[in-house]
Amino acid sequence: MSPKRKISLSEEELVLALQNREKIAVEALYDMYSASLFGVISRIITDEATAEDVLQETFVKIWHSFSGYSAEKGRLFTWMVNVARNLAIDKVRSKDFKNQSKNHELENNVTFIDEQKNTVYKPELVGIRDLVSTLKPEQRSILDLVYFKGYTHVEAADELGIPLGTIKTRLRMAILQLRKHFN
C-alpha cells in the first residue's frame, strides 16, 4: 500500500473549495496547515494532547465559520492563525484547563515543558525569537506573556507586578520596534 499523497491547493483554490464545502478542502486544509497551526497552539498550550484537541477544534471552527472569512481583510493563513490562537487562549483561560493544570506536580511540568520545547518544530517562529531577543528585557517578558503564552494585559500586569498602563506602553513600544524589521 502506497503512502497517501498530500493535497496542495493554491490559496484561491482552497478558498473556493471551502466556500463550496468540498471534501477536498478539509483534506487540503489539514495537509497544508496542520503543522503550522499546531505550532501556534503548542506555544500557548504545552500539553501535547490538549494542543491536539485544540487543533481539531480549530479545523472544525474554520469549517463551520468560514463565512466569516473575508479575503479583503487579510490572507487565509492569517485568519486561520487567529482562529487557532484564540481557541488556544480560550482553552487556557477555561476553568477546566486551570483545574487540570493545578493537578500536575511542578517538577513534572518543568520536565514536560523542557521536552516540548526541544521536540516541537515551530516553522512560524523561525527567526521571530531572534527578533524578539533584540528587544529590551522588560519588553521581551511582556511580549512573551501576552503573545506567546496567551496572557491578557491585566494578567501580565499581575504576573509581573507592574501597572497595566506600563504593560500597554511597553508592549506598544516592543511592537513598534519589531515592526521596523518588516518595513
Side-chain angles (χ1 to χ4, degrees):
M1 182 175 195
S2 64
K4 187 180 175 213
R5 211 179 80 137
K6 290 194 176 219
I7 298 171
S8 182
L9 303 173
S10 70
E11 186 168 320
E12 295 78 23
E13 291 170 328
L14 183 57
V15 168
L16 187 60
L18 284 166
Q19 287 170 338
N20 294 332
R21 315 281 289 167
E22 296 174 17
K23 182 183 176 211
I24 194 169
V26 177
E27 294 172 13
L29 199 62
Y30 186 83
D31 287 348
M32 294 168 61
Y33 296 106
S34 61
S36 294
L37 294 177
F38 185 75
V40 170
I41 293 165
S42 63
R43 283 295 295 152
I44 298 168
I45 300 173
T46 56
D47 177 60
E48 187 173 346
T50 305
E52 287 172 355
D53 289 344
V54 172
L55 178 64
Q56 181 177 353
E57 290 173 31
T58 299
F59 284 115
V60 170
K61 183 158 186 167
I62 288 168
W63 180 257
H64 288 297
S65 64
F66 190 71
S67 60
Y69 168 71
S70 171
E72 291 81 37
K73 291 182 182 177
R75 296 199 51 213
L76 177 63
F77 180 72
T78 305
W79 180 75
M80 291 189 304
V81 165
N82 284 326
V83 169
R85 182 177 175 274
N86 290 341
L87 284 173
I89 290 169
D90 289 348
K91 185 67 165 180
V92 169
R93 290 180 184 164
S94 72
K95 278 186 181 179
D96 222 18
F97 185 83
K98 286 180 181 177
N99 289 338
Q100 173 193 0
S101 297
K102 288 178 186 175
N103 293 332
H104 290 287
E105 293 178 34
L106 181 60
E107 187 175 319
N108 291 343
N109 280 341
V110 170
T111 302
F112 182 76
I113 289 169
D114 285 344
E115 289 171 356
Q116 289 295 307
K117 290 193 182 291
N118 291 330
T119 61
V120 178
Y121 175 63
K122 300 172 190 82
E124 76 290 347
L125 297 176
V126 174
I128 299 297
R129 278 281 171 216
D130 292 337
L131 292 177
V132 170
S133 69
T134 65
L135 296 173
K136 295 178 182 173
E138 62 270 12
Q139 292 173 330
R140 235 186 352 256
S141 61
I142 294 168
L143 197 72
D144 186 53
L145 289 175
V146 173
Y147 285 101
F148 294 121
K149 294 184 180 169
Y151 281 52
T152 64
H153 293 174
V154 173
E155 290 169 338
D158 290 344
E159 178 75 20
L160 297 172
I162 55 180
L164 179 60
T166 305
I167 291 285
K168 291 183 178 192
T169 300
R170 288 180 182 170
L171 190 58
R172 175 87 176 126
M173 297 308 292
I175 291 169
L176 290 173
Q177 192 67 31
L178 289 174
R179 199 176 277 167
K180 290 178 185 176
H181 294 282
F182 296 100
N183 291 332

